[in-house]
Amino acid sequence: MARGYINIAIVKYWGKKEFNPYLIPTQGSISLKSNRLYTETNISKSDVDKFILNGVVQNESETKKIFEFVDKVVKEREKICIESKNYVPTAAGLASSASAYCALTKELNEYFKLNLSINEMAKISTMGSGSACRSFYNLAAFDKYGEVYELNTDLNLAMLAIVVSDKKKEIPSRDAMKIAQNSVIYPMWVKRANDDFEKMKKALIENDFVKVGNIMEKNTIIMHNTTFRSNPLFSFLNEETYSVIKTIKRIRMRGINVFTTMDAGPNVKVLYLKEDEEKVLEALKEYFEGKILLC
Ligand code: 2P0
């Protein structure tokens, strides 16, 4: 049994350059690993290749997708049953391919005794999902050369989510990313994101939390801007997303250091310092009681 945690990007991964054989992204990203939300995966011997997710045997196309990845990792093998369970509240819209492929890669390593290092597993996991490699580290960098490594900071970074919608996303992030890569402003995104990657690393080393929060917020907006300028144009965000962002800004004006970020969905994630947790929760509960999920 292996476990993979979700991660939340503070500088986003939003584009693929090539597979060589592992993924090289168009730009660097940085993320924070959750220590609460995860996927657990177990492999057992089976007569046929089978994939069970949250107790449900998956259809042919889902099974094929997973086993294409398995066959890239293990060349000659017996038939197996892969059983995964997401320990991420379904309503949160946070279930992620990152935790899934992190757990699966670790379990493949165990089951088939592949003897891979953490870094090898991280890189291999990108053949399943790009963001998965970041789940092997706490504060992870996935750079534009495809290298994955741990970053250090003295900041006690923490995240929570304000859950505004539990609907399944209309456009899977993989397809969305492909469309966004044709956006007229995509080259600007790549340049900005690479700048943000360097600035974020510096702010983390300098333990400058306000800088970290500001870089994350700006990076988030530019990533989402690529979707508004795509053909066809689309957005992951909705009215409630904007309303939450405004409220968080107002709370920040009261002197509480909270910053927002959004991924391939309308839910808002809030970055804060662990030592501020009590006052952050107190302030947020006033507006978002019942919608707060600690990550
Ligand atoms: C991120 N996202 O950095 C960004 C921000 C979504 C928005 O990583 O195609 O599911 O499997 O490599 O990893 C989602 O991308 O994409 C993602 P694939 P993945 O967290």
Side-chain angles (χ1 to χ4, degrees), residues 34 44 46 55 78 162 258 261 281 288:
S34 159
S44 54
S46 173
E78 62 191 39
I162 309 286
V258 277
T261 188
L281 287 176
F288 308 118

Side-chain angles (χ1 to χ4, degrees), residues 9 12-13 16 97 129-131 134 173-174 177 223 263-264:
K12 308 298 180 186
Y13 145 57
K16 297 177 178 66
S97 57
S129 187
S131 55
R134 299 188 314 228
S173 59
R174 182 163 300 183
M177 203 183 279
M223 183 207 108
D263 295 298

